[in-house]
């Protein structure tokens, strides 16, 4: 009703009275629910202004705006529910899921759930004023009718920016800020010193891959129209080059990973039945183009989770490991029939030498010689299965040792269990992750979160990249000028450079702008 506003304070959900005319507070704020809330989207107000929905950890919660009647709405383990939004009539809450990548609907009166659509992306849904459409916002706008009878996508002009809100009068607003925020690509010397950006404001969504000679880097970025595209970036910088995938197959290719040597590229095509076909094509990184026809390697993949969790292309590009309907499959990029491995996994990736799969299901294990006759090795720490996040564990290039972050230590554990565990003290960090072996197996790199005196703007600390030798000693910081959040570390083949993803915000224009479009006109046109 415009008389209250909700916001997160870092440790609580808060409500403050405001003036609908000025938008300014008219009284003190109140913490209505104390809980750790980070990386949040907006809280969801009920239409009458009496209730709020929010998400924390994996689940959705509802609470009255005065802080009473707290209710847990979802209790799922395999997915995370995000972005709750009330329908205009207050009877339904729409929400997105990560893991399954869907739009779900919660019937408030009957306490029941249904699924509206598979989105293929993380979705923060919004309702049209009449309650007949739900809008998903990602690289484009996706419209889903509430009665499941229609859906379409809409690409607003690039100059209008991103979706902002729908008004009761049927106008849709877009906001183009003066700041540009994305996940970019940076390079740092493994010997220390400042980092550099090879191409200014280049978008990078995944793990950078290196050519064999270390002179080129392949990333998942965007083309000039904002569509997902694969780019080749020279280490020397200057400009980057999009790999054209048009006219390779029927349908629209969605590319998402290179092989480690930049020799192959993997992409998918949606089929319209909730499944996807996987294709692989050879590329020339020097010419930034495809070579030869695309090969279908898997028919009817039903993806569960994010790409980098459930599919991995081997370093030589000859095989793809993926999770399909709960089991592991090995697909071959020459088009041979895929092989099913009856083994559950929630995460997998090839080891550096391509001879084994690192996978997680109720603890970490290694599958050597992946196939029906492969050998499983449980990864143990002091006799217990290793359990940690996917970015806190890595296998050495020769497949003989496991490195894992445990507290403020790195443990080096021999896989044959014949030698002792080595301990590297990495100092006092609030958190650590993104551990990676150097190509020669003599060093490790990781991202360490240093605690700061600013718990509001840097609740997790400031992330820095460190390198530590297996011979011991203290971690040495690299990228000495870079305090932005970073992940997806990738060593160059010669071990001289790091490429990594960095989240940053840069002012690119003097002022922000707001644009409007007619919602009814957009729907009628499609």
């Amino acid at each position: 009703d415009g008389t209250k506003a909700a916001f997160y304070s870092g440790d609580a959900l808060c409500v403050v009275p405001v003036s609908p005319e000025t938008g300014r507070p008219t009284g003190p704020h109140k913490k209505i629910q104390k809980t750790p809330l980070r990386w949040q989207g907006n809280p969801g107000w009920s239409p009458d202004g009496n209730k709020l929905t929010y998400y924390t950890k994996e689940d959705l919660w509802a609470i009255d705006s005065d802080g009473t009647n707290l209710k847990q709405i979802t209790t799922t383990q395999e997915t995370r529910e995000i972005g709750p939004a009330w329908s205009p009539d207050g009877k339904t809450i729409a929400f997105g899921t990560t893991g399954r990548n869907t739009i779900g609907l919660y019937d408030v009166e009957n306490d029941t759930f249904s699924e509206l659509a598979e989105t293929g992306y993380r979705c923060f849904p919004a309702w049209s004023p009449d309650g007949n459409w739900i809008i998903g916002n990602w690289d484009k706008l996706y419209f889903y009718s509430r009665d499941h009878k229609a859906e379409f996508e809409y690409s607003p002009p690039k100059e209008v920016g991103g979706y902002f809100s729908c008004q009761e009068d049927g106008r849709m607003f877009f906001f183009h800020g003066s700041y540009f925020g994305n996940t970019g690509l940076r390079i740092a010397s493994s010997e220390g010193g400042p980092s550099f950006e090879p191409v200014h404001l280049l978008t990078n969504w995944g793990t950078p891959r290196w050519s064999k000679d270390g002179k080129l880097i392949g990333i998942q970025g965007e083309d000039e129209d904002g569509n997902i595209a694969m780019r080749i970036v020279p280490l020397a910088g200057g400009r980057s080059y999009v790999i054209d995938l048009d006219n390779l197959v029927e349908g629209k290719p969605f590319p998402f990973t290179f092989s480690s040597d930049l020799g192959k590229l993997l992409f998918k095509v949606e089929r319209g039945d909730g499944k996807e076909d996987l294709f692989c094509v050879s590329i020339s990184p020097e010419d930034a183009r495809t070579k030869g026809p695309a090969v279908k390697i898997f028919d009817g993949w039903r993806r569960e989770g994010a790409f980098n969790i459930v599919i991995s292309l081997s370093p030589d590009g000859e095989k793809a490991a993926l999770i399909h309907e709960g089991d592991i499959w090995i697909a071959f990029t020459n088009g041979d029939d895929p092989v099913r491995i009856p083994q559950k996994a929630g995460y997998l990736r090839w080891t550096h030498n391509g001879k084994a799969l690192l996978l997680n299901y109720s603890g970490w294990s290694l599958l050597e010689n992946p196939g029906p006759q492969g050998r499983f090795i449980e990864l143990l720490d002091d006799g217990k299965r290793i359990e940690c996040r996917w970015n806190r564990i890595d296998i050495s290039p020769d497949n003989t040792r496991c490195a894992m972050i445990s507290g403020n230590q790195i443990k080096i554990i021999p896989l044959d269990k014949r030698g002792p565990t080595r301990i590297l003290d990495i100092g006092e960090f609030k958190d650590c992750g993104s551990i990676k072996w150097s190509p020669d197996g003599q060093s490790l790199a990781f991202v360490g979160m240093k605690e700061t005196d600013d718990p509001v703007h840097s609740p997790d600390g400031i992330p820095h990249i460190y390198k530590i030798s297996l011979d011991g000693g203290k971690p040495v910081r690299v990228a000495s000028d870079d305090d932005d959040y970073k992940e997806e570390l990738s060593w160059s083949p010669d071990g001289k450079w790091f490429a990594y993803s960095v989240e940053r915000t840069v002012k690119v224009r003097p002022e922000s702008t707001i644009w409007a479009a007619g919602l009814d006109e957009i729907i009628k046109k499609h």
Side-chain angles (χ1 to χ4, degrees):
D1 58 5
T3 61
K4 296 186 289 290
F7 64 94
Y8 302 111
S9 70
D11 65 347
L13 177 64
C14 303
V15 171
V16 62
V18 297
S19 165
E21 289 77 24
T22 67
R24 294 183 178 275
T26 58
H29 74 274
K30 176 184 178 181
K31 293 185 177 182
I32 65 170
Q33 178 61 23
K34 190 172 178 62
T35 184
L37 297 160
R38 296 177 182 172
W39 316 112
Q40 291 286 336
N42 294 328
W45 279 104
S46 61
D48 59 12
N50 292 328
K51 288 185 177 292
L52 279 163
T53 48
Y54 66 95
Y55 62 95
T56 180
K57 295 184 179 179
E58 290 83 20
D59 297 311
L60 299 182
W61 298 75
I63 190 170
D64 287 359
S65 59
D66 62 2
T68 61
N69 296 323
L70 178 67
K71 177 183 178 180
Q72 185 171 358
I73 297 176
T74 61
T75 57
T76 55
Q77 298 295 322
E78 67 278 5
T79 61
R80 179 182 180 186
E81 288 77 39
I82 58 174
W86 291 75
S87 61
D89 61 11
K91 295 181 179 181
T92 307
I93 297 172
F95 57 90
T97 67
T98 61
R100 284 179 52 79
N101 292 325
T102 63
I103 293 177
L105 299 177
Y106 172 63
D107 186 320
V108 177
E109 294 179 344
N110 299 308
D111 194 28
T112 58
F113 294 87
S114 60
E115 188 173 282
L116 177 65
E118 293 187 359
T119 60
Y121 62 98
R122 183 176 58 178
C123 179
F124 293 82
W127 293 83
S128 62
D130 59 10
N132 292 327
W133 293 86
I134 292 177
I135 306 166
N137 183 20
W138 190 238
D139 57 325
K140 297 181 177 65
L141 292 181
Y142 297 83
F143 289 74
Y144 304 93
S145 66
R146 191 174 180 178
D147 59 9
H148 299 265
K149 292 182 179 178
E151 64 179 67
F152 64 90
E153 65 181 54
Y154 170 67
S155 298
K158 189 174 183 180
E159 65 269 16
V160 308
Y163 169 77
F164 184 69
S165 69
C166 279
Q167 300 298 301
E168 292 183 1
D169 61 6
R171 286 185 298 169
M172 179 181 291
F173 286 98
F174 298 86
F175 178 74
H176 202 177
S178 59
Y179 286 85
F180 175 77
N182 76 338
T183 302
L185 173 70
R186 291 192 73 86
I187 309 295
S189 168
S190 62
E191 297 303 316
S195 62
F196 69 94
E197 192 176 21
V199 179
H200 186 50
L201 296 183
L202 185 67
T203 297
N204 167 42
W205 294 115
T207 302
R209 308 291 187 188
W210 293 82
S211 61
K212 292 180 179 179
D213 61 7
K215 295 181 179 180
L216 301 171
I217 303 163
I219 62 169
Q220 183 196 50
E222 296 177 350
D223 62 17
E224 284 69 21
D225 296 322
N227 299 307
I228 298 297
M230 308 306 281
R231 285 185 175 270
I232 300 297
V233 184
L235 176 63
R239 60 170 298 185
S240 64
Y241 305 87
V242 171
I243 296 179
D244 184 7
L245 299 180
D246 291 341
N247 304 316
L248 286 178
V249 297
E250 290 187 11
K252 185 176 180 180
F254 183 97
F256 50 89
T257 192
F258 290 106
S259 59
S260 296
D261 61 359
L262 294 189
K264 298 282 181 68
L265 187 158
L266 207 60
F267 66 90
K268 72 170 179 82
V269 174
E270 294 185 0
R271 303 193 336 176
D273 59 357
K275 297 181 180 180
E276 300 159 337
D277 292 335
L278 289 177
F279 294 85
C280 188
V281 63
S282 297
I283 66 168
S284 168
E286 294 78 14
D287 302 320
R289 62 174 180 82
T290 59
K291 297 192 306 182
V295 177
K296 182 187 286 190
I297 66 171
F298 199 89
D299 187 78
W301 178 40
R302 184 176 290 278
R303 177 169 51 86
E304 300 176 12
F307 287 133
N308 63 337
I309 295 177
V310 297
I311 188 166
S312 178
L313 193 57
S314 63
D316 59 10
E318 294 183 0
K319 292 176 283 188
L322 57 104
I323 300 171
H324 173 68
E325 296 183 344
D327 290 327
I328 297 174
W329 290 73
I330 304 297
F332 301 92
T333 57
N334 63 2
D336 288 350
D337 292 338
V339 174
R340 173 176 171 265
I341 303 174
Q343 169 66 37
K344 303 296 182 184
Y347 174 98
L348 54 73
R349 72 173 184 258
W350 291 93
T351 57
H352 297 281
N353 64 5
K355 295 181 180 180
L357 281 173
L358 177 66
L359 56 94
N360 190 327
Y361 188 77
S362 299
W364 289 99
S365 59
L366 207 64
L367 174 58
E368 289 188 335
N369 188 27
Q373 306 301 318
R375 183 171 74 101
F376 281 93
I377 301 174
E378 290 187 345
L379 301 184
L380 305 176
D381 177 23
D382 197 23
K384 298 179 181 179
R385 287 283 295 275
I386 293 176
E387 294 188 20
C388 64
R389 291 179 58 190
W390 62 272
N391 65 347
R392 295 178 181 173
I393 186 170
D394 199 22
I395 304 300
S396 64
D398 60 5
N399 268 34
T400 63
R401 294 163 292 174
C402 164
M404 63 168 290
I405 294 174
S406 178
N408 292 317
Q409 297 177 333
I410 294 178
K411 294 185 177 182
I412 311 296
I413 304 171
L415 299 185
D416 60 9
K417 307 178 185 65
R418 296 177 183 176
T421 296
R422 293 185 60 193
I423 302 295
L424 299 177
D425 186 358
I426 54 177
E428 297 297 324
F429 292 99
K430 190 171 183 180
D431 194 12
C432 294
S434 298
I435 187 169
K436 296 288 184 179
W437 285 86
S438 63
D440 62 7
Q442 300 302 310
S443 302
L444 289 157
F446 65 94
V447 174
M449 308 290 286
K450 284 285 190 179
E451 193 163 2
T452 71
D453 297 328
D454 188 357
V456 175
H457 296 95
S458 303
D460 295 317
I462 294 181
H464 296 151
I465 300 174
Y466 294 87
K467 185 181 73 170
I468 187 169
S469 170
L470 264 66
D471 294 332
K474 294 183 178 181
V476 176
R477 182 184 170 188
V478 302
S480 58
D481 60 330
D482 192 353
D483 289 336
D484 291 321
Y485 183 78
K486 52 189 71 69
E487 57 184 9
E488 304 290 356
L489 291 180
S490 177
W491 290 80
S492 63
D494 58 10
K496 294 182 178 180
W497 302 97
F498 294 115
Y500 58 95
S501 300
V502 58
E503 294 183 6
R504 73 296 178 72
T505 302
V506 181
K507 189 174 180 66
V508 294
R509 57 184 63 86
E511 58 186 8
S512 302
T513 54
I514 295 178
W515 299 71
L519 177 60
D520 290 341
E521 295 178 5
I522 293 173
I523 293 174
K524 288 178 181 178
K525 182 178 179 181
H526 289 80

